[in-house]
Amino acid sequence: MKYLFMIYLLLTIASLISCSSSAGEENSFNISCDQLSKANHVDINMEVSEGDLLVLNLCSNPTTGFQWSEVPEISDQNVLKQTYHTFTAPETGKVGSSGSEEWGMQILKQGNSTLIWEYSRPWEGGEKAEWSVTATVTAE
């Protein structure tokens, strides 16, 4: 009987620990090609919580020679850090179609940080910062 009580107690504690520890939420923001065709600069204000994952998806078309910053400028890397960056090809499969790039940012602690992405042609003499996205992040 004492043995069963100990198993019950351990299972209860494990259950409470798993319920109380939260991996945070995913906060996503998408910027389409249509949005970028209307404005060369897009500002985003986001409120997130410590432990959250911030996911930003930007329209991208590498066939034009333009590309987004691999790593955005981050004003306070103590508040958040980049965890991944991926490119997704267009679903149509047509040459010249736009795909998207996605960045994941882990919110490390409370505070404010600004992220800046630039869409440029990276070679010497190429157009720089033709489009940009600035995300102001407030982590509570």
Side-chain angles (χ1 to χ4, degrees):
M1 185 72 160
K2 189 175 185 178
Y3 178 72
L4 289 174
F5 176 75
M6 290 299 288
I7 291 175
Y8 173 78
L9 183 62
L10 288 173
L11 289 173
T12 302
I13 290 170
S15 174
L16 289 173
I17 290 171
S18 69
C19 290
S20 65
S21 65
S22 170
E25 293 183 23
E26 182 174 301
N27 299 277
S28 298
F29 201 91
N30 298 313
I31 298 178
S32 68
C33 293
D34 287 340
Q35 287 173 285
L36 290 170
S37 70
K38 295 175 186 167
N40 287 22
H41 181 75
V42 176
D43 286 309
I44 307 166
N45 293 308
M46 302 190 82
E47 292 184 12
V48 295
S49 298
E50 183 177 341
D52 284 359
L53 178 66
L54 173 59
V55 177
L56 185 70
N57 226 311
L58 301 176
C59 172
S60 181
N61 189 341
T63 64
T64 64
F66 282 92
Q67 62 187 43
W68 288 104
S69 316
E70 176 81 20
V71 177
E73 291 179 35
I74 301 174
S75 67
D76 190 343
Q77 295 185 13
N78 293 312
V79 173
L80 53 83
K81 71 172 183 176
Q82 181 174 326
T83 56
Y84 69 89
H85 172 229
T86 61
F87 174 75
T88 303
E91 291 180 15
T92 65
K94 293 181 182 177
V95 175
S97 296
S98 297
S100 65
E101 290 185 63
E102 181 176 284
W103 289 261
M105 303 285 170
Q106 186 67 50
I107 308 303
L108 303 173
K109 69 175 198 167
Q110 295 180 356
N112 299 308
S113 190
T114 302
L115 303 158
I116 300 172
W117 287 267
E118 292 183 344
Y119 200 54
S120 303
R121 288 185 168 146
W123 56 83
E124 188 176 328
E127 298 93 330
K128 305 295 183 233
E130 287 294 309
W131 288 271
S132 63
V133 173
T134 300
T136 302
V137 179
T138 302
E140 298 177 351

